[in-house]
């Protein structure tokens, strides 16, 4: 008789809302440890089965989920690493992880952002810091609180190796959380970063009182912009019509829980980016991604009017009104191949 295989130990690094939600999902499937920086958060998870700071006191986490503030404990026992830290802290955590993680342990990112300075996607940072470790991303239309509350949702796990992706997907799958797979890591990562910028654009429109038709127009044209850049960078166009692209764009642009839409609305009310970020409990990746996206647009020679106008407001002192006037001034051309808005 063949020896019984033990369940892989999933280690989630990060104590935010989405990292905690994914950790709780994994804990229902098998042994899971969550590393958090705060002793208070670790105690809340272990004793109360809550992450009150990020998910409120009504969300009950899996009782089998355990949290620790001991980074070494987390790193040394991991069979699968899930990275739930923001893009600006991603490299630092990986660098610390590199000294303690066993070879070949897969690394799954939850981050929908890009690294400023290098313009790297998260899987590229993994390849640099942890060569030999399979790197991928789990992304989709996933508002953390809704998933934590048990509403039906879905995501896509992108890994280069589809056999590995299929095996890992089972760790993130429940009856109410559907996990699909793809090998398009570039497309899923770029879709996740791009949609945040367009959610800021739609949020600005909410503040201006634009109609639902206008919102739908901006979102549809956003999918076109996202697809152009994603394909130029090596992604698959179909990815941008799927869960990580259009799916995530829709929920991020329309949900009142969306951090990036909130940023856009606050900008439309006359607040500065600095004021908005200072008042927020969590990171809005679109603020950081706007300038990076425009660097990519210049590099690949792609016209991205919506992203351009968001970057103008976030980084160059333009007003929300000027941004929407700039879009209206664009001459419409061919819907798929045209360069304008």
């Amino acid at each position: 008789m063949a020896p019984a295989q033990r369940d892989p130990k999933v280690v989630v690094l990060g104590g935010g809302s989405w990292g905690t939600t994914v950790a709780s999902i994994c804990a229902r499937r098998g042994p899971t440890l969550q590393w958090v920086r705060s002793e208070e958060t670790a105690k809340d998870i272990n004793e109360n089965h809550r992450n009150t700071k990020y998910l409120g006191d009504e969300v009950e986490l899996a009782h089998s989920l355990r949290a620790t503030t001991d980074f070494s404990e987390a790193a040394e026992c991991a069979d699968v690493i899930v990275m739930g830290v923001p893009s600006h802290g991603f490299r630092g955590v990986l660098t610390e992880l590199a000294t303690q993680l066993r070879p070949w342990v897969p690394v799954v990112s939850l981050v929908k952002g890009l690294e400023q300075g290098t313009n790297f996607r998260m899987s590229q940072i993994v390849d640099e810091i942890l060569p030999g470790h399979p790197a991928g991303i789990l992304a989709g239309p996933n508002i953390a609180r809704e998933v934590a509350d048990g509403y039906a949702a879905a995501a896509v796990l992108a890994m280069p190796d589809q056999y590995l992706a299929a095996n890992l997907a089972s760790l993130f799958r429940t009856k109410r959380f559907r996990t699909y797979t793809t090998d398009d890591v570039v497309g899923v990562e770029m879709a996740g970063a791009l949609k945040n910028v367009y959610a800021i654009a739609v949020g600005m429109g909410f503040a201006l009182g634009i109609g639902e038709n206008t919102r739908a127009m901006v979102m549809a044209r956003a999918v076109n912009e996202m697809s152009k850049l994603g394909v130029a960078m090596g992604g698959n166009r179909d990815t941008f019509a799927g869960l990580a692209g259009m799916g995530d764009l829709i929920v991020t642009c329309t949900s009142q829980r969306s951090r990036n839409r909130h940023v856009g609305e606050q900008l439309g009310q006359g607040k500065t980016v600095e004021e908005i970020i200072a008042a927020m409990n969590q990171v809005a990746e679109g603020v950081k991604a706007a300038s990076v996206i425009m660097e990519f647009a210049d590099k690949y020679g792609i016209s991205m009017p919506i992203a351009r106008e968001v970057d103008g407001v976030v980084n160059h002192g333009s007003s929300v009104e000027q941004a929407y006037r700039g879009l209206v001034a664009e001459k419409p051309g061919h819907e798929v191949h045209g360069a304008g808005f």
Side-chain angles (χ1 to χ4, degrees):
M1 181 181 293
Q5 286 188 320
R6 70 175 178 86
D7 291 329
K9 182 70 168 282
V10 177
V11 171
V12 178
L13 303 180
S17 57
W18 186 226
T20 302
T21 301
V22 171
S24 187
I25 288 173
C26 292
R28 291 182 172 91
R29 308 290 297 178
T32 304
L33 180 66
Q34 183 178 4
W35 171 75
V36 300
R37 297 183 187 275
S38 164
E39 290 279 3
E40 183 180 353
T41 298
K43 183 178 180 181
D44 197 17
I45 293 171
N46 290 330
E47 296 182 5
N48 304 320
H49 312 297
R50 303 283 191 279
N51 186 338
T52 307
K53 180 178 181 181
Y54 288 106
L55 290 171
D57 59 8
E58 295 178 358
V59 173
E60 185 174 8
L61 306 173
H63 286 215
S64 53
L65 175 62
R66 191 170 70 83
T68 182
T69 57
D70 185 336
F71 190 86
S72 294
E73 178 192 4
E76 291 170 2
C77 73
D79 297 312
V80 179
I81 288 287
V82 178
M83 292 289 290
V85 298
S87 62
H88 62 264
F90 202 91
R91 179 180 292 272
V93 171
L94 276 185
T95 301
E96 187 175 357
L97 190 63
T99 64
Q100 303 172 70
L101 188 65
R102 289 181 292 105
W104 312 114
V105 173
V107 179
V108 177
S109 167
L110 303 179
V111 180
K112 298 170 181 177
L114 299 163
E115 184 179 47
Q116 288 193 303
T118 66
N119 296 355
F120 277 6
R121 293 174 284 107
M122 298 302 109
S123 67
Q124 290 177 298
I125 305 176
V126 176
D127 290 342
E128 179 184 324
I129 305 297
L130 294 172
H133 290 260
I137 179 173
L138 181 73
N142 305 137
I143 298 296
R145 179 58 190 268
E146 287 194 4
V147 177
D149 280 336
Y151 287 93
V156 59
L157 176 62
M159 303 284 293
D161 182 336
Q162 281 300 276
Y163 178 77
L164 177 60
N167 285 334
L168 292 179
S170 64
L171 301 175
F172 304 102
R173 189 175 287 144
T174 70
K175 290 181 179 179
R176 294 185 181 178
F177 190 74
R178 301 174 64 85
T179 304
Y180 297 80
T181 62
T182 180
D183 61 357
D184 187 14
V185 177
V186 174
V188 172
E189 286 188 309
M190 288 309 301
L194 286 162
K195 59 90 185 179
N196 288 323
V197 176
Y198 297 109
I200 293 176
V202 172
M204 295 191 306
F206 270 103
L208 292 178
I210 63 172
E212 293 180 5
N213 291 336
T214 311
R215 264 175 275 167
M217 173 180 67
V218 173
M219 290 165 63
R221 297 305 298 163
V223 174
N224 186 57
E225 280 191 23
M226 291 166 63
S227 302
K228 284 183 180 178
L229 181 58
V231 170
M233 295 179 67
N236 187 322
R237 189 175 187 90
D238 288 344
T239 297
F240 295 87
L243 290 166
M246 184 169 62
D248 205 358
L249 177 72
I250 290 170
V251 76
T252 311
C253 288
T254 60
S255 172
Q256 293 186 345
R257 290 190 171 115
S258 166
R259 298 191 291 268
N260 291 282
R261 174 187 142 163
H262 171 76
V263 168
E265 290 185 81
Q266 295 290 295
L267 287 168
Q269 293 173 17
K271 294 183 181 178
T272 66
V273 170
E274 292 74 22
E275 288 174 330
I276 299 166
I277 298 303
M280 292 178 68
N281 189 30
Q282 302 184 59
V283 175
E285 291 282 1
V287 173
K288 298 178 181 295
S291 60
V292 178
I293 296 307
M294 292 318 299
E295 290 182 38
F296 279 133
D298 291 340
K299 177 180 178 180
Y300 292 99
I302 297 172
S303 175
M304 302 183 72
I306 307 174
R308 178 196 69 211
E309 296 299 338
V310 172
D311 181 54
V313 174
V314 171
N315 296 309
H316 303 291
S318 182
S319 71
V320 169
E321 291 81 6
Q322 288 170 328
Y324 268 80
R325 280 200 296 268
L327 291 178
V328 171
E330 290 276 326
K331 183 178 179 181
H334 191 282
E335 184 182 22
V336 177
H337 306 297
F341 172 66

